[in-house]
Structures are given as structure tokens and as C-alpha cells.
């Protein structure tokens, strides 16, 4: 059974940092593109970062470029998202998901980030 | 503001059909076959329902169908059931951002 389990969400003050983790199992993680998708309260989905199977290519939506870093450890089947210089509009549920041919077959349950003083 | 435009709400009675639209541009929906639809129930993760405009993953009922015309994609749910009540999100390959995928704002489907 494919499983993606995110962790790391919490309450952070503006300007703060944290790292999300996503533990993958039940599939050959090292063969898949992966993405982080966020959903602000009551809003739609937004793909904020993507990474290729070997981790050599990363892409970011403009609003997080320079503040967020996506990475992966294929030996441990782990995906990460380092988020820095956090702003109130980064408040959202953050999901990790597979990304093959511009679709996401598998999603984690999400982890909630709240940015507030 | 989402890159793709969806109506905020849609509704139908059990047994009826409902169609949800997703409007983009020639830089996304209009140029690519990579349109997907996701179902999201409250507090849950999205679930892939349609990919490549009209293909269904294994296990998705054939009551769900997708199509595309020009810059607009559509999801049709036939024979509405109470369990279909959820948010539906469209996505498309997109040239407009660095990650290459754009989403719509989501449509809340209510089964009356």
C-alpha cells in the first residue's frame, strides 16, 4: 500500500523557519517526481515546489522562490521542504504528493502550518 | 487568485448529472492534454479522479467523466450520489509558472 506521511507542521511566528518531512512507503520512491502542494484555509490548491527523481532538479512557484527549498533522501525514502522567512500568507495545509506526467496519484494526509504572532 | 477559473459552487439532486467547468488559457488547458481533476472531502487529502483530460484511474466510478474544448475543461458527474458531495479541483500543465502545474480554485459540489 502506498503511503505518504507528512510531519513538521506547527505554529510559527512571522520570519520563522521550519522543515517539513514526508515519509514514503509502498512504492519505488527514487523513481518518482515529487511535489509539495499547499492549501490555504478555504482556498484552492497550489503547487509550490517540485523535485525530479534524483534530486538534481528543483522548481518553485515565484511566491516562495528564495525562501523554500525542496530536497529528498532516496536512501531513506524521505522528501523535505525547508521553509524560511515565513509570512502570514504561508499559512496552509502542506501536502506531499507524487507527480508523474503532471498528475498526482498519491497524496499524504497533510500537515498544518500556521504563521502568526 | 488561482491560475485556472472554476465556479465556486455547483449542485444537483441525486440521480442527476452535474458539469463543473475549468477555464484556463492557451498556455495551459488550451495547449496540453494534461488536465486532471481531484476530489477532496472535508479534512481529507485530494484524490485523483480524472487525468489526461478524460482517463479514470482504477477504482474511480465511470459516473465521472472529463472533457476539454479549447481553453476549458469540464468534469461531469452522472447519476449523482450523496457520497459525491465534495470539493473538486482541476489542474493543468502550465507554462505560466516554474513548477509547470496550475490549479483551479476548487468547486464545492452539493448533492441536494
Amino acid at each position: 500500500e502506498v503511503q505518504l506521511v507528512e510531519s513538521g507542521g506547527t505554529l510559527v511566528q512571522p520570519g520563522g523557519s521550519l522543515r517539513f518531512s514526508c515519509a514514503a512507503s509502498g512504492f519505488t520512491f527514487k523513481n518518482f517526481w515529487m511535489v509539495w502542494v499547499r492549501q490555504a484555509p478555504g482556498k484552492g490548491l497550489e503547487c509550490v515546489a517540485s523535485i525530479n527523481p534524483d534530486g538534481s532538479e528543483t522548481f518553485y512557484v515565484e511566491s516562495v522562490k528564495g525562501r523554500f527549498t525542496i530536497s529528498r533522501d532516496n536512501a531513506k525514502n524521505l522528501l523535505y521542504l525547508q521553509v524560511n522567512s515565513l509570512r502570514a500568507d504561508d499559512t496552509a495545509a502542506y501536502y506531499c504528493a507524487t507527480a508523474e506526467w503532471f498528475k498526482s496519484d498519491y497524496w499524504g494526509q497533510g500537515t498544518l502550518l500556521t504563521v502568526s504572532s | 487568485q488561482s491560475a485556472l477559473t472554476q465556479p465556486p459552487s455547483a449542485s444537483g439532486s441525486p440521480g442527476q448529472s452535474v458539469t463543473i467547468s475549468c477555464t484556463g488559457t492557451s498556455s495551459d488547458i488550451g495547449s496540453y492534454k494534461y488536465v486532471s481533476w481531484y476530489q477532496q472531502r472535508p479534512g481529507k487529502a485530494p484524490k485523483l479522479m480524472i487525468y489526461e483530460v478524460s482517463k479514470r484511474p482504477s477504482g474511480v466510478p465511470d459516473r465521472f467523466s472529463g472533457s476539454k474544448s479549447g481553453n476549458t475543461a469540464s468534469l461531469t458527474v452522472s447519476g449523482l450520489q450523496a457520497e459525491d458531495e465534495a470539493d473538486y479541483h482541476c489542474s493543468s500543465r502550465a507554462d505560466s509558472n516554474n513548477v509547470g502545474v496550475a490549479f483551479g480554485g476548487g468547486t464545492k459540489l452539493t448533492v441536494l
Side-chain angles (χ1 to χ4, degrees), chain A residues 7-113:
Chain A
S7 60
T10 188
L11 171 63
V12 178
Q13 291 190 338
S17 300
L18 81 160
R19 188 177 77 165
F20 298 119
S21 298
C22 171
S25 61
F27 66 105
T28 309
F29 177 71
K30 65 180 181 180
N31 290 348
F32 280 74
W33 279 80
M34 298 294 296
V35 294
W36 285 96
V37 176
R38 70 182 178 183
Q39 185 174 33
K43 302 296 184 181
L45 302 170
E46 179 185 35
C47 181
V48 296
S50 64
I51 188 167
N52 70 336
D54 68 7
S56 62
E57 295 181 71
T58 58
F59 301 91
Y60 302 93
V61 70
E62 202 62 36
S63 61
V64 308
K65 201 178 292 185
R67 301 189 299 122
F68 289 14
T69 302
I70 188 172
S71 61
R72 64 193 297 162
D73 184 336
N74 284 343
K76 296 181 179 178
N77 287 350
L78 287 170
L79 177 72
Y80 301 106
L81 185 68
Q82 176 70 39
V83 296
N84 300 326
S85 303
L86 285 165
R87 313 185 303 221
D89 62 0
D90 294 318
T91 294
Y94 284 74
Y95 298 94
C96 65
T98 58
E100 294 295 298
W101 296 109
F102 306 97
K103 64 175 171 68
S104 292
D105 294 81
Y106 305 110
W107 296 69
Q109 84 287 352
T111 187
L112 185 60
L113 169 65

Side-chain angles (χ1 to χ4, degrees), chain B residues 36 45 93 97:
Chain B
S36 301
R93 179 178 177 177
N97 63 48

